[in-house]
């Protein structure tokens, strides 16, 4: 399984290249509404996204989106449009845009072949989940979800493939568990005619860090779970916090121990296939995973720097140069993510991992995917993010100490793929790359090459150790 990475790093082109080899290619489903709009605003020079949009069964909405957001002649350093931040109740345009954007990613990844394609979502990012899933169901074979406990998603898939309304519990800081704390989506609001395409339910693979979470999903999910991805703490992106408490090394990185290792015998006893992720990106580790009972592995870091990935070419080149020199460095930063979870950061000049670049950035929250909902004193729901301006966060009841070292992952991860927002004076948002600890070992695979493809990765992994 090719990992579902970042915002647009696991691009449709990467997923398609993997699926063409008979492996599971995965697109990232995070912030695809924003990336679609920015690609259109940038002229969609190859025409891929406009081609996919023409296959969407609501041509009048496609015309609306094109009329509002397509630009054939965007000037350099021209800002991208700012979409309204999501709220618990999305308006009709927001819902349709989420459906369209997810449809487009899956359509392009599936175009012209019958190989398996999945889509990856973060459980913690709740507001766009339901319309996103609905859009992806027009062809996706697998849904993968981590960064939380997605036990309601199997039932959601069962409902949405029948074009029936679906809902999930809305996790609110200080929430009471009342029935009205829910997010709802009715597919009928998408359609202007009674005809609906026939959909097929995809397989569902939760991404979990422990055997206990896998057991809980098996027993308490509200529908069919088809397997698990067991992700270790060496994987890129967000990691589960260590169970051992707040022990850190000299760099301030959280330390993990035996309690953080999943018991694979207990996972296997659940009777469902499972894949290992995090620190398994070699032929030997692939064989070891299968010997331990796994159906296979999920690999992210190797694929992240393939030419088909969505990482900007200049960033990919810088990282691979570091790898060849033996200088690649990944830090597990306990402060970077506004979620509070440890986040793997590639240490690279001219990115937010550079203290000077981080200090020079003016705080702003205009993407808002990682905002946390909370209950105000008057009972209303509002949102805050420890990466937003400090005064704003404190006025909303947040603690000033919680803002220390927080980075705007929303803007940075979008910048990784070449569509950074442009601020006043032509200043662009800086990127921030994430990779697994395996980045430090990539040199053995890379050799003297300056670039490689997804096919190269697959051939390497499938070569007997």
């Amino acid at each position: 399984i090719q990992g579902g990475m970042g915002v647009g790093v696991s691009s449709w082109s990467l997923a398609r290249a993997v699926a063409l080899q008979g492996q599971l290619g995965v697109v990232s489903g995070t912030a695809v509404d924003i990336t679609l709009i920015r690609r259109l605003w940038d002229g969609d020079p190859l025409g891929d996204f406009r081609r996919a949009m023409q296959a969407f069964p609501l041509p009048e909405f496609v015309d609306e989106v094109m009329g509002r957001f397509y630009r054939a002649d965007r000037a350099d350093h021209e800002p991208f449009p700012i979409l309204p931040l999501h709220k618990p109740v999305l308006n009709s345009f927001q819902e349709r845009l989420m459906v369209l954007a997810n449809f487009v990613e899956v359509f392009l990844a599936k175009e012209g072949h019958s190989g398996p394609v999945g889509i990856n979502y973060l459980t913690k990012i709740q507001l766009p989940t339901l319309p996103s899933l609905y859009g992806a169901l027009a062809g996706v074979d697998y849904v993968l979800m981590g960064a939380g406990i997605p036990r309601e998603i199997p039932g959601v898939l069962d409902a949405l493939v029948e074009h029936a309304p679906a809902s999930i519990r809305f996790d609110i800081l200080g929430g009471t568990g009342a029935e009205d704390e829910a997010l709802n989506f009715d597919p009928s609001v998408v359609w202007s005619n009674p005809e609906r395409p026939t959909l097929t339910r995809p397989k569902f693979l939760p991404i979990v860090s422990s055997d206990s979470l896998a057991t809980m999903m098996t027993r308490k999910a509200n529908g069919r779970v088809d397997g698990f991805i067991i992700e270790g703490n060496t994987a890129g992106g967000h990691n589960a916090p260590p169970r051992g408490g707040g022990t850190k090394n000299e760099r301030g990185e959280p330390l993990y121990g035996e309690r953080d290792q999943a018991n694979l015998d207990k996972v296997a006893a659940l009777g469902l296939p499972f894949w290992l992720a995090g620190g398994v990106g070699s032929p030997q580790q692939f064989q070891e995973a299968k010997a331990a009972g796994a159906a296979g592995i999920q690999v992210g870091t190797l694929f992240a720097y393939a030419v088909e990935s969505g990482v900007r070419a200049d960033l990919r080149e810088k990282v691979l140069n570091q790898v060849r020199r033996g200088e690649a460095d990944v830090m597990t930063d306990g402060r970077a993510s506004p979620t509070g979870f440890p986040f793997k950061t590639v240490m690279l000049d001219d990115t937010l991992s550079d203290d000077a670049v981080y200090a020079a950035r003016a705080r702003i929250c205009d993407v808002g995917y990682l905002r946390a909902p909370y209950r105000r004193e008057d009972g209303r729901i509002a949102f805050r993010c420890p990466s937003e301006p400090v005064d704003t966060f404190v006025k909303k009841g947040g603690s000033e100490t919680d803002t220390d070292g927080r980075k705007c992952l929303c803007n940075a991860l979008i910048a990784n793929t070449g569509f950074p927002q442009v601020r006043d004076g032509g200043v662009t948002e800086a990127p921030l790359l994430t990779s697994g600890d395996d980045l430090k070992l990539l040199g053995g695979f890379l050799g003297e090459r300056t670039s490689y493809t997804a096919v190269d990765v697959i051939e390497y992994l499938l070569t007997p150790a």
Side-chain angles (χ1 to χ4, degrees), residues 23-40:
Q23 311 303 316
L24 178 54
V26 179
V27 294
S28 169
T30 303
V32 291
D33 55 338
I34 293 173
T35 56
L36 174 62
I37 292 308
R38 293 192 183 185
R39 290 179 187 278
L40 293 176

Side-chain angles (χ1 to χ4, degrees), residues 133-362:
L133 283 169
Y134 188 58
L137 290 182
V140 82
D141 302 294
Y142 287 80
V143 169
L144 295 72
M145 290 188 71
I149 307 173
R151 63 186 185 185
E152 296 176 292
I153 300 303
V156 167
L157 294 175
D158 293 338
L160 292 181
V161 295
E162 301 297 333
H163 304 283
S167 65
I168 56 175
R169 174 180 164 79
F170 187 28
D171 296 325
I172 303 170
L173 297 175
T176 63
E179 291 182 1
D180 61 347
E181 294 178 357
L183 299 173
N184 304 292
F185 174 70
D186 185 349
S188 67
V189 304
V190 174
W191 300 95
S192 57
N193 60 68
E195 295 185 6
R196 308 284 189 270
T198 299
L199 302 177
T200 300
R201 186 195 190 275
K203 292 185 177 181
F204 179 61
L205 303 179
I207 304 171
V208 297
S209 60
S210 68
D211 52 275
S212 59
L213 287 177
T215 300
M216 188 273 282
M217 283 293 302
T218 302
R219 295 176 178 174
K220 296 187 177 181
N222 62 357
R224 190 183 81 233
V225 173
D226 298 286
F228 298 97
I229 296 170
I230 309 297
E231 186 174 82
N233 54 65
T234 61
H238 288 96
N239 300 145
R243 294 186 178 185
T247 306
K248 299 179 180 178
N249 65 15
E250 65 279 0
R251 299 179 74 188
E253 298 173 294
L255 292 176
Y256 293 85
E258 291 186 8
R259 294 177 59 192
D260 301 299
Q261 304 298 317
N263 186 320
L264 299 185
D265 290 337
K266 291 184 178 180
V267 175
L270 298 174
L272 294 172
F274 65 94
W275 289 257
L276 299 187
V280 292
S282 74
Q284 179 180 350
Q285 290 160 324
F286 180 30
Q287 296 303 322
E288 291 172 352
K290 295 183 73 173
I297 55 177
Q298 175 178 278
V299 176
T301 298
L302 277 173
F303 285 110
Y305 299 98
V307 296
E308 298 94 343
S309 92
V311 174
R312 273 170 33 190
D314 63 315
L315 293 176
R316 184 167 62 241
E317 182 179 358
K318 287 181 180 180
V319 172
L320 293 182
N321 285 339
Q322 281 190 340
V323 168
R324 278 192 297 273
R325 296 193 301 265
E327 298 173 358
D329 186 19
V330 175
M331 179 177 178
T332 306
D333 192 335
R335 299 296 305 175
S337 174
T339 66
F341 286 91
F343 185 77
K344 288 281 196 301
T345 299
V346 178
M347 307 305 290
L348 194 66
D349 291 343
D350 300 321
T351 74
L352 285 183
S353 67
D354 183 328
D355 290 341
V357 174
Y358 170 69
R361 180 185 183 270

Side-chain angles (χ1 to χ4, degrees), residues 385-405:
C385 177
S387 296
E388 68 187 352
V390 176
D391 290 347
T392 302
F393 184 71
V394 172
K395 287 179 182 178
K396 295 177 181 178
S399 168
E400 183 172 349
T401 59
D402 197 30
T403 67
D404 294 342

Side-chain angles (χ1 to χ4, degrees), residues 95-107:
E95 287 185 322
R96 290 186 176 200
L97 181 60
M98 291 307 311
V99 174
L100 171 64
N102 283 269
F103 171 91
V104 164
E105 289 291 326
V106 172
F107 176 90

